[in-house]
Amino acid sequence: MKRVSLLLAVALGLATAVSARPAVIECWFVEDAGGGKLAKKPAALLLRQGAESPPPRPDLAPERYLKVHDPAGTLQAAFRQYPRDAPAPRCEMSLYVPLPASAKWLSGLTPEQSCPRALDGTWLMVSMSSPFLSLSSLLRPQSEPQPEPALITMATAVLTVFTHTPTPRIRIGQDALLDLSFAYMPLTPKAATSLAPGPPPFGLEWRRQHLGKGHLLLAVTPGLNGQVPAAREGAVAFAAWDDDEPWGPWTGNGTFWLPAVKPSQEGTYLATVHLPYLQGQITLELAVQTAYLATQNPTEKKLE
């Protein structure tokens, strides 16, 4: 009986955890309004989908009410550790144009500068940020809204990049480990980077922003032959795909390790995952704490 009760409690706990994940994320669609100004319009992403029809949203234009198909399940995975009582992340959406990466060390990803026809059409870039999550996702919406019965636009998550530690605080002299996960689902097998089955080659770069410029700390291109800039400050990345399914979806890891951090290494870090003509980028804010400040942490005081 105790075992049954325990299993029931675990099942209820799992159900609660799943239901705690957001079903809808409210966003702002940002576009150029001319004259150096930006216009914002309300939008929403429907992430968790059941058998029931999506709720009507007469306040939204159908092209800004998106029902997201996420083959890799990455968007839900990104919210798995999100605190139940935390405010929703800030979300912005904008148009995106597929382009080859400009860096020479990434030229092997796009031997042809012209974008393949498989990537034609409208693309959207979604960015979410909060103290618990930094996420970027490239969505490919369908051309026409679907009446079901609410007017809503179907969209596929093609490339998603995220971290659960967007504001790491590291004591001076300790190693910094900045987690990074990503997922990719090509629209069709022909849209993959190679005719061979399996995950495609990709590029990963980590930069630290200083005086408005992103200074390259680390660049890697798993699956590609070619020279990349030398790593700086002892930085290392654990860059690899996690699986080798023939046609995707694929998930990957780009976690960044920086040894024995110093106060000069504090600041904004940019992590970018490059695929042919597609890029996903997130930001992290690294704070380096002195030994004195670390001992003033209220949580640590309470534990003493």
Side-chain angles (χ1 to χ4, degrees):
M1 186 67 182
K2 287 184 177 179
R3 184 179 180 183
V4 173
S5 299
L6 178 60
L7 290 174
L8 180 60
V10 171
L12 289 174
L14 289 174
T16 303
V18 171
S19 62
R21 301 175 198 167
V24 178
I25 296 291
E26 302 294 331
C27 282
W28 289 103
F29 181 80
V30 182
E31 59 184 344
D32 186 5
K37 297 181 180 180
L38 295 176
K40 290 186 175 183
K41 300 176 182 178
L45 302 175
L46 183 62
L47 301 184
R48 194 172 70 245
Q49 302 152 26
E52 67 278 1
S53 298
R57 289 294 299 267
D59 58 316
L60 300 176
E63 65 271 15
R64 298 196 302 274
Y65 186 23
L66 303 177
K67 184 177 180 181
V68 180
H69 172 51
D70 183 20
T74 311
L75 293 172
Q76 285 295 331
F79 282 96
R80 198 164 289 152
Q81 300 178 24
Y82 206 85
R84 182 192 303 269
D85 55 351
R90 181 185 176 206
C91 177
E92 289 189 351
M93 185 190 310
S94 59
L95 292 174
Y96 176 85
V97 179
L99 291 171
S102 57
K104 291 183 178 179
W105 56 273
L106 286 166
S107 60
L109 283 179
T110 52
E112 297 182 5
Q113 290 298 301
S114 59
C115 190
R117 297 300 299 271
L119 300 182
D120 285 354
T122 301
W123 287 81
L124 296 171
M125 180 177 64
V126 174
S127 299
M128 301 184 198
S129 59
S130 83
F132 310 101
L133 176 70
S134 179
L135 180 147
S136 175
S137 187
L138 297 182
L139 306 181
R140 179 69 179 274
Q142 291 185 0
S143 57
E144 297 292 336
Q146 303 292 315
E148 49 162 72
L151 277 176
I152 194 168
T153 298
M154 308 296 291
T156 300
V158 177
L159 174 62
T160 301
V161 183
F162 71 92
T163 179
H164 284 124
T165 56
T167 56
R169 286 168 171 76
I170 310 297
R171 287 193 187 187
I172 187 172
Q174 292 189 341
D175 298 346
L177 193 65
L178 310 183
D179 77 272
L180 182 75
S181 300
F182 52 92
Y184 172 55
M185 179 63 195
L187 295 174
T188 67
K190 291 183 179 180
T193 59
S194 171
L195 293 178
F202 68 95
L204 171 69
E205 63 176 90
W206 281 87
R207 294 177 179 267
R208 182 170 59 244
Q209 201 164 22
H210 181 65
L211 298 178
K213 294 183 179 180
H215 296 269
L216 185 65
L217 297 178
L218 185 73
V220 293
T221 53
L224 281 180
N225 295 321
Q227 292 186 342
V228 297
R232 300 172 59 187
E233 302 178 12
V236 175
F238 305 95
W241 292 108
D242 298 328
D243 42 41
D244 56 358
E245 293 294 323
W247 302 115
W250 301 289
T251 59
N253 186 353
T255 297
F256 180 73
W257 179 70
L258 196 63
V261 295
K262 299 174 288 189
S264 61
Q265 294 171 309
E266 187 174 74
T268 301
Y269 284 71
L270 309 174
T272 308
V273 175
H274 296 272
L275 290 169
Y277 312 101
L278 303 176
Q279 299 85 32
Q281 183 181 87
I282 60 169
T283 61
L284 304 89
E285 295 289 338
L286 173 63
V288 178
Q289 297 179 318
T290 65
Y292 173 78
L293 288 176
T295 59
Q296 301 306 303
N297 187 307
T299 304
E300 293 187 2
K301 275 190 171 185
K302 189 175 181 181
L303 292 175
E304 291 176 352

